[in-house]
Amino acid sequence: MSVGWILLLVVALLALFGLYLSITAGRLDQLNRRVETSRHSLDTQLLRRLSLSSDLAGSGLLDPVSSLLLADAARAVRTAPTSDAGARDLAESNLSEVLRAIFATPEDVAQLRALPGGAPLANEMDAVTRRVEMARRFLNDGVRANRDVRNQRFVRWFRLAGTSVEPPTVELDDAPPPGFGSR
């Protein structure tokens, strides 16, 4: 083999390695966008659940104790500092617990649906609790995929993640109320 062929082979291998690094950096960028989009989606669903919980608490369709508990849990979420993810997640988890206590059985949900104006609220609460659960799952799956790529040797060595911060998972209790049926 001549020097020309060896040089050509080395250049080709370097070009392939550069292409690999470029594709990996693009994948990491795509995963960062996916995580950001998923986080916005989760925030939107949590906001919908909060709004619906406040509407339900003030509707007069629940008994006074349930209305008070739900209103208090919703207020705690609304007043939780947005800069403190732990406090916000704790308040959201508390709201999930209150919703599970209020709608613990299918009979509880049937009573709400039987009241005038109760069926649309029950249907929307059922849908929004499912969407919160799915949005958090999608976010955490994206974060795990992002971390897997970030932990690859070449990504670390060549600093392909740049200055972006490693995204955290969202750990909150989002189990839906059992009274809404099987999932």
Side-chain angles (χ1 to χ4, degrees):
M1 252 188 166
S2 72
V3 175
W5 283 106
I6 293 175
L7 186 59
L8 183 63
L9 181 64
V10 168
V11 168
L13 287 175
L14 285 175
L16 285 175
F17 185 67
L19 180 64
Y20 167 77
L21 290 178
S22 176
I23 290 171
T24 303
R27 171 134 173 78
L28 188 58
D29 187 49
Q30 182 181 25
L31 286 170
N32 283 333
R33 284 194 307 272
R34 176 180 165 198
V35 166
E36 187 176 319
T37 302
S38 296
R39 186 166 307 282
H40 289 300
S41 176
L42 177 61
D43 288 343
T44 299
Q45 297 309 321
L46 289 172
L47 189 59
R48 285 181 181 164
R49 184 178 76 162
L50 171 63
S51 175
L52 187 60
S53 297
S54 296
D55 290 348
L56 188 58
S59 69
L61 298 174
L62 300 175
D63 63 89
V65 173
S66 296
S67 291
L68 184 62
L69 286 172
L70 191 56
D72 188 45
R75 183 183 44 74
V77 170
R78 201 172 17 264
T79 59
T82 56
S83 60
D84 184 3
R88 181 174 174 236
D89 291 350
L90 185 62
E92 292 286 357
S93 296
N94 184 45
L95 179 59
S96 295
E97 287 179 32
V98 170
L99 288 170
R100 280 196 308 273
I102 293 172
F103 301 110
T105 65
E107 291 79 26
D108 297 330
V109 177
Q111 286 176 353
L112 177 62
R113 285 194 167 116
L115 298 171
L121 284 171
N123 292 339
E124 183 63 23
M125 184 60 78
D126 183 23
V128 78
T129 55
R130 289 176 194 238
R131 289 191 303 255
V132 164
E133 186 179 34
M134 285 189 298
R136 187 180 73 85
R137 186 176 304 146
F138 288 146
L139 171 63
N140 287 343
D141 287 347
V143 168
R144 282 186 205 97
N146 187 299
R147 287 181 180 171
D148 289 345
V149 172
R150 282 174 173 269
N151 288 331
Q152 291 177 3
R153 192 171 292 146
F154 289 127
V155 173
R156 288 191 322 265
W157 288 351
F158 291 97
R159 302 180 194 271
L160 297 181
T163 58
S164 65
V165 178
E166 184 173 318
T169 58
V170 174
E171 302 303 328
L172 60 90
D173 178 6
D174 63 354
F180 284 118
S182 64
R183 302 253 183 266

